[in-house]
Amino acid sequence: ASDNNNNNNKDSSTPTITNEASNDVESFYSSVQEPSQCARYYLGRIMNDGDNAGSDKITAGNMVLEGDPFVSFGSRVRLDVTGVNEVALFPGQMVAVKGLNSSGKEIFAEKIYTEAYCRDRIHAGNGNTNAAVTAAEDDDDGTLRVMMACGPFTAKNSVDFEASPLYDFGKQVTRHEPNVVILTGPFTDSDNELLKKNQVSVTFEDVFEHLLRSLVQMIASHCDEIVVIPSTKDLHHFSAFPQEAYTTTTHARFGQNVRFLSNPTQFRINNVSFGISSADFLFDCCRMGFMRNLSDRLLSMMAHCINQQSFYPLQPSTPSLRMDHDKYERSFMSHKLDLFLMPSTLKQFAKIYAHTDTVCVNPSFLTKLNSGGTYAMLYVQQSNDYSIQDYSKLIRVDVLKI
C-alpha cells in the first residue's frame, strides 16, 4: 500500500492492507481504542459518525475510522486528517492510517495508505472462470478497434430507433467498422418520460429487443463482436447491483456475435484486459466523499475502484443504487485491468492511472436529455502480442460527440 499523498518512496515500514486475519496483521496494527504516545498504524475503514442529519457524506468534522474486526473488533474513533496534505476519502474505504492516538478516542493522522490494487494480469488459458473472453483479430495495420456507447440510447420523450442517437451511433459503426462494439444500458431508461408514464403500447422487454435488434441488424456485418452489458436503470431487467446479464428468450435471433455479460464485468479481448461497470460510482463518490488538494479529482475517484479492488466500493451505497449484498463479491476486481471504463454524469475523460498502468475512461452517455451525447473510440496496438504487460502507451482513446 502507498499513502494518500501519492508518495512513491516506500520504506520497509509501509503497511499492507489485507482482509485476512494473520499473526503479521495482529502484530503490526494497533487497536484503534488503544492509547499511545507515539505514532502507530491502524487498519480499518472510513465511515460517517452518523450525526450529519441523516446524510452519509463524510466531512472533516464527522469522519471516523472503524477498526478491523481482528485487532480493533470494529470499534470506532474519530479521525482527524488535518495533518494530511492530499486527501481523497469516501465512506466504506479500507485504509491503513499512521497517526497519534494519545487518548484512545481520536487518531491524528500523519499518513493515510489507500492503495491495495491487484498486481496480476489475467492471461489466456490460466483457468480464471471469472473472465469472459472475447477474441477478435487486429486490423491490417495491427490495431484493435473498439467502439463503446452507453445508454440511454433515445431521447427522454421517445423509444424509437429511427433518428435516435443509437441510430446515429450505428452509422458511425458502419463507417469505422471496428472489431468490437460495446454497449452498456439502460435500453429501457427509468428516466424516460414515456416509460415512466407507461405511454407505450408494448412491454418494456419489447422496447429493449426492438432497440437492440434494430442496431444489430444495422451493424452486424460491420464488426466482429457485440458486447452488451445491463444497467441498474433498466426497467425491464432486475436492477439490484451487481447485475446478471440481460435475460431474453430471443438471444439466438440477435446472432452468434452478440455476447451478453454481467454488470460489472471483466473480460479479455486478445491480450487486453477490460473492466466495465455502468454504476455511476464517480458521481456518488463526488457527492459523498471528502477531497482536498488533489491535482486530478476525476482520476483520483476512478482510481478508488482500482485501489479497493471493487467496481463500487462506496458503503453504504446511495439510495439510488440498490445493492444486492448476497452477490456483493461479484463487484470485486479479480485481476489488473488494462482498460477501465465507467460511464458517469461527470465530465467525460480518458486518463492513465500510473500505479497500475490502467487507462481509465468515462465515455459519458450517448444521449443527454433530448440531444446527442458522446461515445468512445478505442485503438489498441499489438493486442495479439501476449508478451506485453503494459498497454498504457499502446492505447489511444477518443471521446467523440454523436
Side-chain angles (χ1 to χ4, degrees), residues 24 31 62 65 112 129 133 135 156 158 164 176 191 193 212 216 233-234 238 301 303 306 317 334 346 355:
D24 290 339
S31 170
N62 70 11
L65 181 69
I112 301 178
T129 57
V133 178
K156 293 187 68 174
S158 172
S164 68
H176 293 285
D191 291 329
E193 295 297 334
L212 182 56
V216 170
K233 296 185 69 176
D234 273 303
F238 188 66
M301 287 187 290
I306 298 174
S317 60
S334 61
L346 302 184
H355 288 285

